[in-house]
Amino acid sequence: MSTDPYEIRPAAPDDLDLLPPIENSADRMFGTIGIEFPPGPTVVEQMIGRDAEILVAGDPPAGYAVLSPLDGAIHLDQISVHADLAGQGIGTRLLHAVLDHAAAAGSPGVSLLTFRDVAWNGPWYARHGFSVLPEDRWTPGLRKHWDAEVAAGLHHLGPRIVMWAPTP
């Protein structure tokens, strides 16, 4: 048994009910900068039962990442760490695990959509090797994700970008 309290592992069925409160906690951090998300199910609740994989950090989970196949690559749908544990490197470990998982699956890289200017979004991903993906390189699936975000009102909350990192 590992002594690492935040070991990254695939989510077990018993973990799933513990993940929405983590996302809700992390989302409350956005309120400190004036971003309030519209009501509705969390991203992880929307992804459970779909063609997605969930990696968790810790047992019980302190954070998680949801990834799914998209146009021959891997898309990071959500990464959340409980707000009480922010700044401890858990998100970084999850992100590295996502990139490693994508590489092991033969994916050329990982895509995501995020806020351009929120410190723990666009700039954080850029520090970890992601760059803005120009619109002329978006796949049909990325366009669909973008359009769904527009329809959900996320783009009214702040500038959004599509980012990409090649797998290691």
Side-chain angles (χ1 to χ4, degrees):
M1 178 153 191
S2 172
T3 59
D4 178 358
Y6 302 118
E7 179 178 10
I8 309 298
R9 61 182 176 79
D14 291 346
D15 295 324
L16 300 181
D17 287 342
L18 304 174
L19 303 182
I22 293 170
E23 186 171 331
N24 288 330
S25 168
D27 283 354
R28 281 193 294 276
M29 292 175 54
F30 286 89
T32 65
I33 59 169
I35 294 176
E36 296 290 334
F37 292 108
T42 61
V43 173
V44 73
E45 288 171 314
Q46 294 174 52
M47 297 303 293
I48 291 171
R50 290 186 170 175
D51 190 17
E53 294 183 65
I54 302 171
L55 302 176
V56 297
D59 189 6
Y64 67 88
V66 180
L67 48 149
S68 58
L70 185 66
D71 299 331
I74 296 293
H75 185 74
L76 178 58
D77 296 284
Q78 180 73 17
I79 190 167
S80 289
V81 174
H82 195 284
D84 293 344
L85 300 169
Q88 296 185 30
I90 298 167
T92 298
R93 293 179 64 190
L94 280 163
L95 187 59
H96 290 174
V98 167
L99 289 164
D100 290 344
H101 181 83
S107 173
V110 174
S111 62
L112 59 89
L113 283 72
T114 193
F115 287 104
R116 181 187 70 201
D117 302 323
V118 175
W120 60 89
N121 277 203
W124 182 79
Y125 287 110
R127 286 194 306 275
H128 293 284
F130 283 78
S131 58
V132 174
L133 187 66
E135 190 170 352
D136 65 353
R137 293 189 47 215
W138 293 4
T139 63
L142 283 172
R143 170 60 64 191
K144 185 176 176 182
H145 276 280
W146 183 268
D147 292 345
E149 282 195 353
V150 170
L154 284 177
H155 292 251
H156 294 294
L157 303 176
R160 303 280 293 170
I161 53 175
V162 175
M163 299 186 85
W164 171 267
T167 50

